[in-house]
Amino acid sequence: MKALVAAVAVWGRTAPSHSITAVMITDDQRTIVTGSQEGQICLWDLSSDLQISSKEILFGHTASVTCLAKARE
């Protein structure tokens, strides 16, 4: 069994800037994925009443994220 390792990003009063350069929505239409000029990828929950809330922010790219694509199993 694989262990789940969760990472937590902590910042001050304001979140890091996220200038969106790419947008994708999952097939189930419950998650929006955005890529940013700053190299981050963000996952957003989309509720059935179209309310959006942040889920995760992924750091690590050293260049802008200009394209997002779905992967298949």
Side-chain angles (χ1 to χ4, degrees):
M1 176 182 266
K2 292 183 179 181
L4 176 63
V5 178
V8 176
V10 181
W11 49 79
R13 291 180 175 254
T14 58
S17 61
H18 186 72
S19 304
I20 295 174
T21 53
V23 177
M24 183 187 74
I25 189 164
T26 56
D27 289 336
D28 63 5
Q29 298 181 348
R30 297 178 70 191
T31 303
I32 297 172
V33 183
T34 58
S36 77
Q37 184 176 352
E38 295 79 18
Q40 305 149 355
I41 295 176
C42 290
L43 305 177
W44 308 85
D45 283 327
L46 179 60
S47 69
S48 58
D49 60 344
L50 302 179
Q51 295 295 314
I52 299 171
S53 58
S54 61
K55 183 176 178 180
E56 296 178 56
I57 185 168
L58 309 172
F59 296 93
H61 290 88
T62 56
S64 297
V65 177
T66 59
C67 182
L68 297 167
K70 299 174 189 175
R72 300 282 183 209
E73 292 181 13

